[in-house]
Amino acid sequence: MTSPRLLRPAGSWLYWTVIALVVKGLFFGWFLTRTYYHDIDGFWGQSNGDMMTYIQPVESLLAHHGFQTDVRMPAYPGVYLAFRLFFKPAVACNLVILLQLIVSAISVYVLGLCARHLFQNERAFYWAYSIYLFSTFVSVFDGYFLTESLAASASVFFLYSWLRFESNPTRWLPAMAAGTWMAWSIFLKPAHAPLLAVPIAIWGLRWLQKRLTVKSLIRYSFLFLLPFVLADGAWMVRNYRSYRQVIPLLKSPWYPEGFWPANYFDLMAFCQSYGEDFSYWFPNAGIRWIQGWGNGNFLPPVRWYVKEDLGPPPNYVYTSKFTLDSITSVRNLCYRLGNGPVLDSVQRSAISAQIKEKMNRYTRSVREDNPLVYYVWAPLRYTGTFLHGTWGYTFLDDMVRSQWPRFLLRLYHYAFILIPGLIGLILLTRRGLRRDDRLLVIPLSFAYCLVVYVLVLRHPETRYLAPFYPFLVLSAVTTFLSIVRSRQSQNRTVTWPTSPL
């Protein structure tokens, strides 16, 4: 199919990359004028609680104390280190987010190429390119010192490399490139490690269908896995030297308990039992009420332009083991613990022990006495908040005071990406099983995202969706292409009545 006459062909890589850089750059520049929290003086971007955990291991390394961290993989600190070797911390951080902007702009063009390769349709390029370019869901993170921007770009580059290998399996370099991008994604976000199984599962399906030999299956898998095996092998050696333990990824997936408010993990487990938000730094997080917070009471400089209406857990959560009065009692204890500087260490330990005992008992009660809430309603509720974008910054709730621009951004998300994307996942699964199994890489990757963050970890903070957002965009593209094909088919089948002359 030829491209629309008014648009340049998809092969004009410089033209499309420059446009993406200009559009993203304008948003990026505006975003930097709205940032309000900076861990380092002179940093242009937006900080959050994770920023220093990436920087401190590098500063420790430069001070000849080693790469001291239990909770971070080395990829993102490595990017910072590459600039920090030559510049001061603030300049190095600014160069990191500028790099994120450039890489993100390139990924917009590459995602368009992925759409063209997958759907064998020139118009798919323009759909994917345009939809992804004008969404803020990932672009917001270009200005954050976080892994989300580079992880989203890595997803796009992995898919492109894998599709190139699929088009000519005799070449080994694209397979290793795909494996390298996946390894990079894992070293940014270790929760992505099981994604290594997605391409292998597709090749395994071909083998079961006798469309791929065992020799080819082993060769493909070896080439794809080799970059991760080499990189993780080196990382495991480092971990063994540091801890005398075999640790493939991280020693601990969470910050030390002292990093969090008192009894945070006890309160978090209770919130997870019924699908409540436990990110207390976001507005309308249910844990804020339990902790004793009041509406709109955020510690400076945190700001949110969202109306807050905190309240106790809904009625369906309670069991015979606890009531509203029980939770209110815990709320009072949390408030006293967090606002009682006159308490001595013995008193604080006693109150903390009370909260822990009560929360653990109430959580166990929901799981055992109200399994429908724990095993069904909580995951459904988390799925809704995850896809809606409730837990995060993707729709500028902390940047734009007026409600209508934020409403338009959410409307764009629903109309052009989320709703058609969910429909597209079904279409891609059907077509992948029937005609082109390459298409399965999208629904399988997205399904993994939901299973891990919603069902297993029960930690669906919206930013964790960003690396999978390009897959949702491609799913939306297949829906729009299906609508166009359906209309064209209807137009071709229309027959006009002949004149009765």
Side-chain angles (χ1 to χ4, degrees), residues 250-468:
L250 289 177
K251 183 180 181 183
S252 173
W254 289 95
Y255 299 152
E257 192 166 348
F259 180 89
W260 304 96
N263 295 100
Y264 177 69
F265 289 103
D266 305 313
L267 301 179
M268 181 182 74
F270 176 71
C271 290
Q272 288 176 322
S273 71
Y274 64 101
E276 183 56 77
D277 186 348
F278 51 84
S279 299
Y280 59 87
W281 51 92
F282 291 140
N284 291 302
I287 196 173
R288 284 169 50 77
W289 182 88
I290 303 175
Q291 289 176 317
W293 291 93
N295 291 330
N297 187 12
F298 292 94
L299 296 176
V302 176
R303 68 187 190 196
W304 293 97
Y305 300 123
V306 177
K307 183 179 179 181
E308 189 168 37
D309 186 19
L310 298 177
N315 293 332
Y316 60 79
V317 176
Y318 303 106
T319 70
S320 60
K321 305 295 192 307
F322 68 99
T323 63
L324 175 58
D325 290 339
S326 306
I327 297 298
T328 303
S329 173
V330 172
R331 170 182 164 86
N332 294 336
L333 290 173
C334 289
Y335 183 85
R336 186 183 176 194
L337 193 60
N339 297 274
V342 296
L343 297 174
D344 58 35
S345 60
V346 175
Q347 292 173 316
R348 295 183 67 84
S349 296
I351 294 176
S352 179
Q354 288 185 60
I355 296 173
K356 183 179 185 66
E357 190 278 329
K358 289 176 181 291
M359 283 290 92
N360 291 346
R361 181 154 44 90
Y362 301 162
T363 302
R364 187 168 58 252
S365 174
V366 176
R367 183 174 61 249
E368 296 174 355
D369 300 345
N370 209 345
L372 186 64
V373 169
Y374 188 88
Y375 292 106
V376 178
W377 177 241
L380 288 175
R381 191 178 179 192
Y382 274 155
T383 300
T385 55
F386 193 40
L387 299 178
H388 174 64
T390 302
W391 297 16
Y393 325 94
T394 51
F395 302 118
L396 308 177
D397 291 335
D398 60 335
M399 295 288 178
V400 178
R401 183 181 297 273
S402 299
Q403 183 175 353
W404 67 266
R406 294 184 278 111
F407 171 77
L408 291 178
L409 291 176
R410 279 191 166 84
L411 181 63
Y412 183 93
H413 167 67
Y414 268 85
F416 288 96
I417 301 169
L418 182 57
I419 295 176
L422 294 177
I423 297 172
L425 289 172
I426 299 174
L427 296 176
L428 288 172
T429 302
R430 292 177 57 189
R431 293 170 185 171
L433 292 173
R434 294 177 179 179
R435 297 200 300 266
D436 185 356
D437 55 19
R438 297 179 312 152
L439 300 175
L440 293 175
V441 69
I442 297 176
L444 285 176
S445 298
F446 201 79
Y448 167 81
C449 169
L450 292 179
V451 168
V452 167
Y453 289 110
V454 173
L455 297 179
V456 178
L457 298 178
R458 294 197 177 211
H459 189 33
E461 188 176 333
T462 301
R463 66 187 177 99
Y464 299 142
L465 180 60
F468 301 88

